[in-house]
Amino acid sequence: MPATLDAIATIAELLTQHGPLHEDELTRHLRDRGLVGPDSAIQWNMLEMDCPVGQLVDDRWVWLPALMAGRVFTHRVSTDESTHDVLTMTPDLSPITALCEHAQYQRFADGSAASVVVAGYDDELLDERDIPVEAIDPAALLLEPGTLTALGVGDGDTVGLRLTTAGLVLERVDVIAQHTAGERLATTLNADEPTYANAAVWTACVADPALFTEPLPPLREIFDDHGMARSGEWIAPNGFDFGSWRFGLRCELLADRHGLDADDALVLASLVALYDQMSQFLIESDDVDEVQEGSPLDPDDGDGVAGELGSALADPLIAELLVAETIDADRGSAAALGLLAEMMEPRVPRTARVAWRWLRAVALERIGDIEEAERELLAAETMDPDWPLPLFDLARIASDRGDVERGLALLRRVGAERDDPLVALLEAHRVEPRGDLGRNEPCWCGSGRKYKKCHLGHEQLPLAERVNWLYQKAVQHAEAAGWRELLAEVGYERYRHTHDLADALDAAMADPLVMDVVLFEGGAFAEFLQVRGSLLPDDERLLAEQWLLVDRSVFEVEGVNPGASVTVRDVRNGDVHEVRERTASRQLKVGQLICTRVVPAGDSMQFFGGIEPIALHERDPLIELLDGEPDPVELVDALSLRFAPPTLTNTEGEPMVICETTLRIGDGIDGALDETYDRADGDESPRWHEHVKTHGMPHIRATLVRDGDTLRVETNSEERMDRVLATLVRIDPTMRVLDDSRTPINDAREAAELAAQLPAGENALDPDDPEVAEMLDEFIREYEANWLDEPIPALDGHSPRQAADDPTRRGDLIKLLDSFPADEGAPGRMSATRLRSALGLS
């Protein structure tokens, strides 16, 4: 289970008091305090995401704020860094900037932000600052513009980053040449595998409390000066082979991912490495002859290593996995796979050549040449009539052409089960021979040929009955042609609020919206039509081209014929469609808003891609999103908000974050606080409140408590805290931040944990008490009176009174009031009846 707030606080206490501890020691302490049950445990592999901890080389956990306090890590600034006010973190600063993954450490002591930017993820922010991606390698600390100039830092100068009680501090430093850091770090290394550089530094700091308390040379220079091998975030003894180590990890990963034994994983990893080299050669040269001459496949391979590796593809599983781990994983181009197949085929035993011919066909299809791909598949079939993969692909081609019998015959040859998706699809669209016509009689079509020579076995269903078949052809293309990554991204966005990762992906594959968005907004259907459209029957290809012209839109249900059809109006352009729909027509109601695609389907119109219910307040933002041609992930995120847990906010609509800041203040501040805030009477320690009135009710916005020369400020949002701190700076410019804690409350579970830590109230309100009911009724009537003149998001920012007076918005107001719960006279519930009366709509 994830670490609870109580568990995190206890882990901080234990690691601060006792120093580094192993997981079993921490678990024992947590169980002793009742924070972990006997049959449950913390997800230790996720702990670094929950709180600022680090793991040492011996796997013990350490509390980083305590370990890093007072230490300084240096970095020599480059020209790009001084120009753009960024500092590359790896490896010099990363032992301390690891804290910046947590909100409470994402600021400097002077109040400025300490933001980490990552190349490929924060490109929009980098563009705003005109920072080239090349300056971020791979992550950097983004400073406020002008920071390094203000410090007097330029190209080649050294800065130091230290953690103080007030926050991170960046300063120009002069390094100390004599030190023992290199020797300390060398003792943490393992001769057999590399060490995470941060873990090595943290471990050395635990062993020597004085280490890095003064500005030493940057870690990069220390590693190099002491002959340590380095690769990214990893260090190792001199001469360590990072390439072999990574290859071994890849073998282990492939074995685990695909359930392979060690030998098969080694072969697959080697073939993927050959593909990677081929892809790189292809990138570096446009001349195929040059690629072949300089390729990783030595023409004089006397040992036959390439042929031995290539022979493993006689196993269809290894052949399929090679495709999955190369072009399906977007590691490079299909052309590289085709060239590799072309060069490998002559080098492998005859039994394996069919596999490499099949790979050439796969590459040709991905490039878009389906005719040449089919020729290669037919050639592969002649090389080995029983090898299954070409037969499956030829069956798909037969299906795309509408040739049910050939497709089923090919699938029978490979022993496909009846529940195979392609078998089931073809069987569902199979046409039985005509019972009113003999095999040798003239064909019904008037061709003059016998029925058995003309249409027997080639009958075709009407287009309206082939609509689902056409759609499934496109689905099979998306599943087989490299769209799985986008499907996974969109699927995760669809179900991330309700499922864990594994279950989310399974659920997404069965969700009609996920596939439809990938097909149309994602571009998979356009690619299907471009690559395989020539195979389709003419009427299907024409229908598919029409589908590409239909956009997803927002519709209002105007009529329902249960079990038969639904009439909808496109709210973006006013078009009205009668849609044949059996199931949804029993559930949809007149006036309801939905998001879907309405497409032609032979002799009727049909819904495709699921039917998404849309709330009134979501209508206009969704239309704006659709008008902007959103990407698939963005669109599914918007259509899946109804699954998200409620966002916890305070009465001003700000995200709930429990903030507590302790300040050191000067003398004589009480008078200024009295003038600015409301003093609370009767408390032993001077206490002040900032109040705000929302929805007609007063609320406490901030609490300030003075204890000697310190002032503690408490708020439930960062916005409120920042406003108070800005005010206090004006009141007392000499004040200093001693501690700043900000804990986001992301969901109801975290809110419940926090509530459990607070004293229980003794005087809960009983709505059945007549006096309480009267008070609630008075409050709700005052709230309703204010609501009539408040801007409402569902009314596009207009107030209900304004909408009632505007004929173009009155319908939306009526829909909004109709969506209110039925008025049953319950205390504290808004009455739609009273509101309609006040607005003249009764």
Side-chain angles (χ1 to χ4, degrees), residues 148-269:
L148 294 177
T149 299
L151 293 175
V153 172
D155 182 22
D157 293 329
T158 306
V159 294
L161 185 67
R162 68 172 70 243
L163 178 65
T164 70
T165 55
L168 294 172
V169 173
L170 183 69
E171 56 198 354
R172 178 172 177 166
V173 297
D174 294 319
V175 301
I176 298 172
Q178 300 298 321
H179 60 85
T180 61
E183 290 80 359
R184 284 284 189 188
L185 292 168
T187 63
T188 69
L189 302 184
N190 187 320
D192 298 323
E193 60 183 9
T195 300
Y196 182 45
N198 283 358
V201 173
W202 296 332
T203 302
C205 288
V206 169
D208 184 354
L211 192 63
F212 294 110
T213 54
E214 295 180 295
L216 305 183
L219 285 170
R220 181 189 309 266
E221 297 177 13
I222 293 175
F223 295 152
D224 292 345
D225 290 345
H226 285 76
M228 300 180 197
R230 179 167 53 85
S231 178
E233 299 177 325
W234 300 91
I235 57 174
N238 188 28
F240 185 83
D241 188 343
F242 279 99
S244 295
W245 172 68
R246 286 195 172 89
F247 182 79
L249 289 182
R250 171 162 290 279
C251 291
E252 294 176 10
L253 174 65
L254 293 174
D256 183 63
R257 180 185 295 166
H258 301 299
L260 302 176
D261 60 32
D263 290 340
D264 284 344
L266 175 64
V267 168
L268 181 58

Side-chain angles (χ1 to χ4, degrees), residues 695-772:
H695 304 302
M697 292 288 289
H699 299 276
I700 294 177
R701 203 182 211 180
T703 299
L704 300 86
V705 182
R706 182 171 66 76
D707 184 8
D709 63 349
T710 64
L711 183 70
R712 187 176 76 256
V713 183
E714 300 172 350
T715 70
N716 63 7
S717 78
E718 292 192 283
E719 291 82 355
R720 290 180 171 182
M721 176 60 76
D722 291 340
R723 283 194 294 266
V724 173
L725 293 180
T727 300
L728 293 176
V729 168
R730 291 194 295 271
I731 292 175
D732 180 10
T734 66
M735 76 162 195
R736 292 290 180 269
V737 176
L738 301 179
D739 185 54
D740 186 274
S741 171
R742 305 190 181 205
T743 305
I745 305 298
N746 298 311
D747 53 35
R749 177 184 62 81
E750 293 182 0
E753 291 176 8
L754 180 65
Q757 300 173 29
L758 301 176
E762 298 179 0
N763 300 307
L765 296 178
D766 180 6
D768 294 329
D769 186 320
E771 293 185 5
V772 172

Side-chain angles (χ1 to χ4, degrees), residues 474-694:
V475 168
Q476 290 174 344
H477 174 78
E479 292 177 339
W483 290 90
R484 286 186 173 273
E485 184 175 348
L486 182 57
L487 281 166
E489 289 181 33
V490 174
Y492 170 74
E493 200 63 42
R494 180 64 165 172
Y495 286 101
R496 65 187 175 90
H497 303 297
T498 56
H499 294 64
D500 61 30
L501 181 57
D503 292 340
L505 296 180
D506 289 340
M509 291 303 103
D511 190 302
L513 176 67
V514 171
M515 178 57 74
D516 198 72
V517 166
V518 171
L519 285 174
F520 290 92
E521 282 81 4
F525 193 88
E527 182 189 87
F528 160 71
L529 197 54
Q530 178 184 6
V531 174
R532 304 181 72 91
S534 62
L535 302 174
L536 299 175
D538 291 342
D539 55 353
E540 289 186 25
R541 184 168 62 251
L542 179 60
L543 182 62
E545 290 169 349
Q546 292 176 325
W547 286 0
L548 282 178
L549 301 177
V550 177
D551 293 330
R552 196 178 310 275
S553 194
V554 178
F555 298 87
E556 181 177 353
V557 178
E558 292 196 333
V560 176
N561 184 5
S565 65
V566 179
T567 302
V568 295
R569 177 179 59 85
D570 189 330
V571 301
R572 296 165 74 191
N573 58 29
D575 291 348
V576 177
H577 306 280
E578 183 175 352
V579 182
R580 186 173 65 190
E581 175 58 52
R582 295 180 179 177
T583 304
S585 62
R586 303 180 189 278
Q587 302 167 352
L588 294 175
K589 300 183 183 303
V590 173
Q592 188 172 353
L593 293 171
I594 59 175
C595 180
T596 186
R597 286 190 313 109
V598 177
V599 301
D603 58 357
S604 66
M605 303 293 287
Q606 290 187 19
F607 293 129
F608 269 87
I611 300 174
E612 297 295 306
I614 304 300
L616 181 60
H617 69 274
E618 297 172 335
R619 180 194 60 192
D620 292 344
L622 179 58
I623 289 174
E624 183 179 357
L625 179 65
L626 293 171
D627 288 344
E629 298 182 358
D631 67 48
V633 175
E634 183 182 16
L635 177 58
V636 170
D637 176 43
L639 292 174
S640 305
L641 289 177
R642 70 182 188 273
F643 301 130
T647 301
L648 299 182
T649 61
N650 59 24
T651 56
E652 294 181 272
E654 298 159 345
M656 190 77 76
V657 180
I658 304 304
C659 303
E660 182 174 314
T661 301
T662 303
L663 312 162
R664 190 172 302 284
I665 56 175
D667 297 331
I669 195 176
D670 286 16
L673 292 175
D674 287 337
E675 294 177 2
T676 308
Y677 302 107
D678 302 319
R679 184 188 278 261
D681 297 327
D683 291 312
E684 296 182 3
S685 299
R687 178 185 296 263
W688 294 265
H689 295 302
E690 180 184 17
H691 289 94
V692 63
K693 191 172 184 179
T694 55

Side-chain angles (χ1 to χ4, degrees), residues 114-132:
S115 304
V116 173
V117 289
V118 180
Y121 290 90
D122 299 299
D123 292 352
E124 186 174 338
L125 177 58
L126 296 177
D127 287 341
E128 290 177 7
R129 288 276 300 267
D130 198 26
I131 300 173

Side-chain angles (χ1 to χ4, degrees), residues 14-309:
L14 292 169
L15 295 179
T16 302
Q17 291 181 356
H18 301 288
L21 294 173
H22 284 287
E23 292 171 5
D24 56 350
E25 297 173 297
L26 283 168
T27 301
R28 186 174 65 254
H29 284 294
L30 293 172
R31 284 180 177 159
D32 290 345
R33 301 191 186 193
L35 298 174
V36 174
D39 298 323
S40 60
I42 298 293
Q43 291 179 356
W44 296 108
N45 60 325
M46 304 292 287
L47 188 63
E48 290 170 294
M49 298 177 62
D50 295 332
C51 56
V53 295
Q55 214 167 6
L56 306 181
V57 296
D58 61 1
D59 294 333
R60 289 181 298 165
W61 291 99
V62 63
W63 191 254
L64 291 181
L67 182 65
M68 293 290 99
R71 303 190 195 260
V72 57
F73 292 89
T74 65
H75 177 71
R76 208 170 300 282
V77 177
S78 69
T79 301
D80 278 347
E81 290 173 325
S82 62
T83 301
H84 299 291
D85 281 294
V86 294
L87 297 175
T88 299
M89 300 188 306
T90 305
D92 296 341
L93 304 177
S94 56
I96 194 168
T97 55
L99 290 168
C100 295
E101 296 178 7
H102 305 278
Q104 61 267 43
Y105 297 100
Q106 293 171 357
R107 54 179 38 84
F108 288 97
D110 63 3
S112 61
S115 304
V116 173
V117 289
V118 180
Y121 290 90
D122 299 299
D123 292 352
E124 186 174 338
L125 177 58
L126 296 177
D127 287 341
E128 290 177 7
R129 288 276 300 267
D130 198 26
I131 300 173
V133 175
E134 297 75 27
I136 311 299
D137 184 24
L141 189 63
L142 183 65
L143 309 174
E144 294 292 332
T147 297
L148 294 177
T149 299
L151 293 175
V153 172
D155 182 22
D157 293 329
T158 306
V159 294
L161 185 67
R162 68 172 70 243
L163 178 65
T164 70
T165 55
L168 294 172
V169 173
L170 183 69
E171 56 198 354
R172 178 172 177 166
V173 297
D174 294 319
V175 301
I176 298 172
Q178 300 298 321
H179 60 85
T180 61
E183 290 80 359
R184 284 284 189 188
L185 292 168
T187 63
T188 69
L189 302 184
N190 187 320
D192 298 323
E193 60 183 9
T195 300
Y196 182 45
N198 283 358
V201 173
W202 296 332
T203 302
C205 288
V206 169
D208 184 354
L211 192 63
F212 294 110
T213 54
E214 295 180 295
L216 305 183
L219 285 170
R220 181 189 309 266
E221 297 177 13
I222 293 175
F223 295 152
D224 292 345
D225 290 345
H226 285 76
M228 300 180 197
R230 179 167 53 85
S231 178
E233 299 177 325
W234 300 91
I235 57 174
N238 188 28
F240 185 83
D241 188 343
F242 279 99
S244 295
W245 172 68
R246 286 195 172 89
F247 182 79
L249 289 182
R250 171 162 290 279
C251 291
E252 294 176 10
L253 174 65
L254 293 174
D256 183 63
R257 180 185 295 166
H258 301 299
L260 302 176
D261 60 32
D263 290 340
D264 284 344
L266 175 64
V267 168
L268 181 58
S270 301
L271 291 171
V272 171
L274 272 178
Y275 168 84
D276 288 340
Q277 294 178 52
M278 187 67 72
S279 183
Q280 188 60 38
F281 277 119
L282 202 58
I283 291 171
E284 294 173 355
S285 174
D286 294 329
D287 186 339
V288 174
D289 292 334
E290 182 181 334
V291 173
Q292 290 177 330
E293 291 173 5
S295 79
L297 297 177
D298 183 355
D300 299 321
D301 179 15
D303 295 332
V305 174
E308 185 177 348
L309 285 173

Side-chain angles (χ1 to χ4, degrees), residues 314-373:
D315 181 348
L317 173 62
I318 302 299
E320 286 186 299
L321 292 180
L322 180 57
V323 173
E325 290 294 332
T326 53
I327 54 177
D328 276 356
D330 199 24
R331 294 177 62 88
S333 69
L337 182 64
L339 186 58
L340 179 63
E342 183 180 346
M343 299 178 69
M344 284 290 289
E345 186 179 332
R347 291 174 165 81
V348 301
R350 185 176 299 276
T351 55
R353 289 180 184 175
V354 61
W356 290 99
R357 185 61 62 95
W358 172 77
L359 284 174
R360 288 176 63 183
V362 170
L364 286 164
E365 181 191 343
R366 298 297 177 86
I367 292 169
D369 192 346
I370 190 65
E371 289 80 8
E372 186 62 29

